């Protein structure tokens, strides 16, 4: 019998293999590998690339089913939802098969947990883009940033490039790390990679433009749902990190202040996405600079509210503040991530 079931915390059939309930060490080991080494560099493609290829092959059948005319939107929504469901079911089944193999299952579980977290890759890419923004010719700096963002960068000057880099780094603290981490703890590599399948669908199809509004509707809504709790927990992680860093001021390179959870929630709810504003707002306040505001996506201006302390336009993003933001997120991945894991284990021990 599984140790969790013996404690009576949950029925055995609810405990997915290699979740925090079943293997306490897997998530911390994956986090350490991610932060130290970044994405695994191996001869085969990264699993996210495989998900992207599978989804790209589904576009043509989805559009054939949707057709054209007045009835196209509901058919496209249905076809997009079916494509996403098949991708998630297939992903979950393959991952479950791999981690259930005798002998090799543990190695597959560690690899899949490690490759599903992207904090190390986000930090490394963020530093590379920051160097380009600060030191490369403007066209090269724009090209470097375009690897991270979907918004239009061709007309951005350097201050706008810096602000946009801060936006994407803080938003991706949830998307690239905290949501995958949450699902790894809760449901092991199976839950993590089902979430990654949804997230990949949202990043490829979840745009509010003419091409993707209906085929990507299901992916966007599913991503909103699966990231709802992690986005709010990411604020707790950032708050905890700041509170601990204040005990050692030398470990706190960011110079903003914590405004309180009510202020963070009030600003975050004003964003068009139900989840993106939470980590962005917390990071903006802690770094003492503004984020969000009007942006251009695929030629269309999107008016977002400004996040962060009032009057922060007098303290624009610069290389020092962006480096502090990267350090804040690194510490939050360790402090907040491990704290959430310990809470889960504590609940297991006392259930």
């Amino acid at each position: 019998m599984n140790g969790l079931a013996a404690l009576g915390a949950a029925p055995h059939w609810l405990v997915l293999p290699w979740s925090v309930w079943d293997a306490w060490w897997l998530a911390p080991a994956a986090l350490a590998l991610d932060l130290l080494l970044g994405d695994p560099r191996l001869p085969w493609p990264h699993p996210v690339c495989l998900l992207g290829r599978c989804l790209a092959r589904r576009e043509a059948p989805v559009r054939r089913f949707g057709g054209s005319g007045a009835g196209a939107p509901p058919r496209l929504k249905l076809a997009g939802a079916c494509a996403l469901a098949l991708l998630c079911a297939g992903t979950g089944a393959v991952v479950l098969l791999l981690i259930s193999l005798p002998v090799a299952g543990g190695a597959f579980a560690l690899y899949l947990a490690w490759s599903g977290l992207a904090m190390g890759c986000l930090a490394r890419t963020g530093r590379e883009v920051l160097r380009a923004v600060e030191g490369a010719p403007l066209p090269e700096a724009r090209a470097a940033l375009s690897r991270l963002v979907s918004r239009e960068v061709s007309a951005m000057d350097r201050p706008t490039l810096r602000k946009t880099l801060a936006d994407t780094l803080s938003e991706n603290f949830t998307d690239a790390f905290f949501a995958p981490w949450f699902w790894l703890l809760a449901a092991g590599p199976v839950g993590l990679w089902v979430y990654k399948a949804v997230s990949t669908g949202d990043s490829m199809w979840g745009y509010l433009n003419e091409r993707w509004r209906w085929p990507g509707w299901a992916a966007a809504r599913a991503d909103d749902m699966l990231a709802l709790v992690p986005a709010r927990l990411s604020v707790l992680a950032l708050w905890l990190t700041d509170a601990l860093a204040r005990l050692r001021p030398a470990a706190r390179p960011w110079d903003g202040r914590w405004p309180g959870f009510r202020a963070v929630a009030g600003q975050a709810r004003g964003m068009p996405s139900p989840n993106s504003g939470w980590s962005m707002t917390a990071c903006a306040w802690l770094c003492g600079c503004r984020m969000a505001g009007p942006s251009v996506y695929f030629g269309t201006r999107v008016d977002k509210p400004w996040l962060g302390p009032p009057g922060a336009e007098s303290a624009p993003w610069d290389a020092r503040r962006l480096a502090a933001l990267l350090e804040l997120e690194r510490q939050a991945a360790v402090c907040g991530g491990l704290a959430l894991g310990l809470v889960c284990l504590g609940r297991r021990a006392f259930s």
Side-chain angles (χ1 to χ4, degrees):
M1 177 180 289
N2 175 288
L4 177 61
L7 288 168
H12 178 59
W13 59 271
L14 284 179
V15 179
L16 285 167
W18 303 100
S19 63
V20 70
W21 319 109
D22 187 64
W24 66 267
W25 59 267
L26 179 70
L31 175 60
L33 287 170
D34 176 52
L35 292 176
L36 291 172
L37 302 178
D39 278 340
R41 298 176 182 270
L42 297 168
W44 54 85
H46 192 282
V48 168
C49 297
L50 298 177
L51 289 175
R53 291 175 191 175
C54 289
L55 201 60
R57 290 178 183 144
R58 301 282 74 79
E59 181 183 354
V62 164
R63 295 196 182 280
R64 280 198 300 270
F65 181 84
S68 58
R75 290 197 301 269
L76 285 170
K77 285 173 71 172
L78 175 61
C82 290
L84 180 69
L86 287 172
L87 181 68
C88 291
T91 300
V94 169
V95 172
L96 182 58
L97 173 65
L98 290 174
I99 66 176
S100 300
L101 291 172
V103 183
F108 276 118
L110 182 57
Y111 166 73
L112 290 166
W114 171 20
S115 60
L117 302 177
M119 188 66 235
C121 179
L122 179 67
R124 184 179 66 249
T125 305
R127 288 191 293 268
E128 291 172 356
V129 175
L130 176 57
R131 284 194 293 269
V133 168
E134 294 302 319
L138 195 55
E140 292 181 22
R142 290 168 177 161
L145 181 63
S146 69
R147 302 200 308 267
L148 274 178
V149 302
S150 57
R151 68 189 72 178
E152 180 58 57
V153 302
S154 60
M156 289 185 181
D157 57 13
R158 290 192 193 273
T160 308
L161 290 173
R162 295 184 186 105
K163 201 277 298 180
T164 304
L165 177 58
D167 286 354
T168 194
L169 289 174
S170 58
E171 181 177 356
N172 275 292
F173 179 68
T174 295
D175 296 340
F177 173 72
F178 217 82
W181 175 256
F182 174 88
W183 288 109
L184 175 61
L185 293 176
V190 174
L192 165 60
W193 279 100
V194 169
Y195 168 76
K196 295 291 281 190
V198 170
S199 178
T200 302
D202 180 55
S203 66
M204 292 178 65
W205 289 11
Y207 298 105
L208 291 175
N209 56 26
E210 175 129 8
R211 180 180 178 185
W212 294 115
R213 180 182 299 272
W214 305 119
W217 178 87
R221 299 291 79 74
D223 186 73
D224 288 344
M225 179 181 69
L226 293 181
L228 192 73
V229 172
R232 286 140 184 84
L233 290 177
S234 71
V235 173
L236 285 172
L238 290 161
W239 165 78
L240 175 63
T241 301
D242 183 62
L244 292 175
R246 287 182 180 277
L247 301 177
R248 291 180 58 241
R252 188 182 185 272
W254 55 94
D255 54 9
R257 64 182 181 87
W258 179 252
F261 291 101
R262 182 174 296 182
V264 171
Q267 288 191 349
R269 291 192 190 107
M271 290 287 282
S273 164
N275 299 321
S276 64
W278 292 82
S279 55
M280 289 179 72
T281 304
C283 288
W285 278 92
L286 289 174
C287 292
C289 296
R290 293 200 303 178
M291 290 189 191
S295 302
V296 178
Y297 295 86
F298 304 105
T300 301
R301 176 186 167 101
V302 178
D303 289 316
K304 299 178 182 179
W306 287 104
L307 306 176
E313 59 272 15
S314 61
W317 287 99
D318 56 22
R320 181 187 66 81
R321 286 191 170 91
L322 284 164
L325 172 60
L326 285 165
E327 178 62 15
L328 168 63
E329 293 189 350
R330 186 193 68 81
Q331 291 188 32
V334 176
C335 297
L338 293 181
L340 180 59
L342 288 173
V343 168
C344 294
L345 288 171
R347 184 182 181 279
R348 166 181 170 168
F350 292 104
S351 295

